[in-house]
């Protein structure tokens, strides 16, 4: 099975005739310290890509688009086999691998981040980390990425491999996102106060196997880990919470 033939677990399960009302999708989680949640009203004048710099991540497509947008500065944080392609591109600054507070600062202050992946990633952490820090995301339409971004509210979605559409999305949203803030979004302020999101406790996970697709019970399907069918006792002992 190639990366291009892969599908998100949620899509596979829904395609097996399981009632979608009995499926609950749990996306990946990211740990964001509270002090990093203060969203910037004035952002840095750059677009951020962070992750592996390799072909399946859409780097060739992104670099070609960067060359067509000399007025926009791009920062690439990461390492990989295609890193040399950044050399000589005047509006790309390759800063190497970053993590912790350094990476959080780059994300939080970016006008927006871009996830141009050309493989079917299940639930890209780069998107979750960006949104958790209040930074909009422009992502491709492959895999589970489109499930995470709300066009016009938390970012934009473009057709994978389409350089023209990626260029248009970045150009049309560049100035908008320079002063964008989830917290200051007028439309969001007019909405009712959102209710706190509830997540299952570890005890509830022990009572229900994540792959127990029995139609009479509500099934939780995780985009993170698939546990082989075993007895409850053995599954309990082997689960990593």
């Amino acid at each position: 099975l190639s990366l291009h033939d892969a599908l998100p677990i949620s899509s596979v399960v829904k395609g097996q005739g399981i009632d979608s009302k009995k499926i609950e999708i749990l996306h990946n989680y990211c740990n964001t310290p509270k002090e990093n949640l203060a969203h910037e009203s004035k952002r840095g004048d750059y677009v951020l890509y962070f992750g592996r710099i390799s072909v399946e991540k859409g780097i060739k497509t992104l670099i070609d688009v960067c060359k067509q947008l000399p007025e926009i500065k791009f920062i690439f944080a990461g390492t990989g086999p295609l890193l040399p392609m950044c050399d000589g591109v005047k509006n790309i600054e390759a800063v190497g691998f970053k993590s912790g507070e350094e990476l959080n600062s780059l994300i939080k202050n970016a006008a927006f981040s871009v996830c141009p992946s050309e493989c079917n990633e299940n639930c890209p952490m780069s998107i979750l980390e960006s949104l958790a820090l209040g930074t909009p995301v422009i992502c491709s339409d492959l895999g589970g990425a489109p499930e995470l971004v709300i066009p016009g509210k938390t970012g934009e979605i473009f057709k994978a491999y389409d350089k023209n559409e990626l260029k248009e999305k970045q150009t049309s949203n560049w100035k908008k996102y320079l002063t964008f803030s989830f917290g200051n979004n007028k439309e969001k302020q007019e909405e009712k106060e959102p209710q706190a999101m509830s997540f299952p406790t570890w005890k509830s996970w022990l009572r229900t196997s994540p792959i127990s697709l029995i139609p009479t019970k509500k099934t939780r399907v995780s985009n993170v880990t698939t546990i082989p069918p075993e007895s409850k006792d053995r599954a309990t002992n082997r689960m990593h919470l």
Side-chain angles (χ1 to χ4, degrees):
L1 183 68
S2 71
L3 286 173
H4 295 280
D5 294 328
L7 289 172
I9 294 175
S10 57
S11 297
V12 173
V13 174
K14 289 178 180 178
Q16 299 304 311
I18 306 299
D19 186 353
S20 61
K21 295 180 180 180
K22 299 179 184 294
I23 299 173
E24 182 177 347
I25 301 172
L26 300 181
H27 294 294
N28 291 337
Y29 301 87
C30 60
N31 183 20
T32 305
K34 291 182 179 180
E35 57 269 20
N36 287 323
L37 295 179
H39 302 159
E40 303 294 330
S41 58
K42 178 64 176 177
R43 298 181 174 279
D45 58 347
Y46 63 87
V47 174
L48 176 67
Y49 169 82
F50 62 105
R52 180 170 169 78
I53 301 180
S54 52
V55 64
E56 75 277 5
K57 297 293 187 177
I59 292 300
K60 286 185 176 181
T61 298
L62 178 59
I63 290 178
D64 285 345
V65 172
C66 291
K67 293 177 181 178
Q68 299 176 41
L69 299 172
E71 71 281 8
I72 299 178
K73 177 182 178 180
F74 292 84
I75 292 181
F76 282 32
T79 60
L82 297 188
L83 184 59
M85 290 186 66
C86 298
D87 297 341
V89 183
K90 294 182 179 180
N91 60 329
I92 294 180
E93 180 183 355
V95 297
F97 177 79
K98 298 294 181 183
S99 62
E101 187 55 43
E102 277 190 297
L103 179 59
N104 285 340
S105 180
L106 282 172
I107 298 171
K108 186 167 60 174
N109 292 291
F112 56 87
S113 69
V114 59
C115 179
S117 187
E118 293 175 353
C119 64
N120 286 281
E121 297 189 60
N122 214 1
C123 185
M125 290 301 297
S126 61
I127 295 181
L128 295 183
E129 290 170 352
S130 293
L131 297 180
L133 291 170
T135 298
V137 181
I138 294 179
C139 71
S140 69
D141 62 352
L142 290 181
E147 297 180 4
L148 308 176
V149 174
I150 303 174
K153 291 188 176 181
T154 62
E156 300 292 342
I157 301 171
F158 73 97
K159 187 173 180 60
Y161 302 98
D162 192 328
K163 298 177 185 178
N164 291 330
E165 187 173 2
L166 175 56
K167 177 183 177 181
E168 189 277 327
K169 294 291 185 183
Q170 294 187 115
T171 303
S172 60
N173 289 286
W174 169 240
K175 293 183 179 180
K176 167 186 172 182
Y177 286 148
L178 282 176
T179 57
F180 182 87
S181 172
F182 293 159
N184 294 333
N185 189 307
K186 182 179 295 184
E187 181 178 350
K188 185 176 182 64
Q189 287 180 344
E190 294 174 353
E191 294 177 356
K192 294 181 180 180
E193 186 69 22
Q195 296 181 350
M197 185 178 295
S198 60
F199 297 101
T201 64
W202 67 272
K203 289 184 178 179
S204 68
W205 275 98
L206 298 185
R207 290 194 298 268
T208 306
S209 170
I211 62 165
S212 176
L213 303 180
I214 303 174
T216 56
K217 295 182 180 180
K218 188 167 186 177
T219 302
R220 291 187 173 87
V221 178
S222 172
N223 273 345
V224 185
T225 306
T226 301
I227 300 176
E230 297 172 293
S231 67
K232 289 186 178 179
D233 292 338
R234 291 182 62 193
T236 298
N237 293 331
R238 294 183 59 179
M239 291 183 80
H240 299 282
L241 300 174

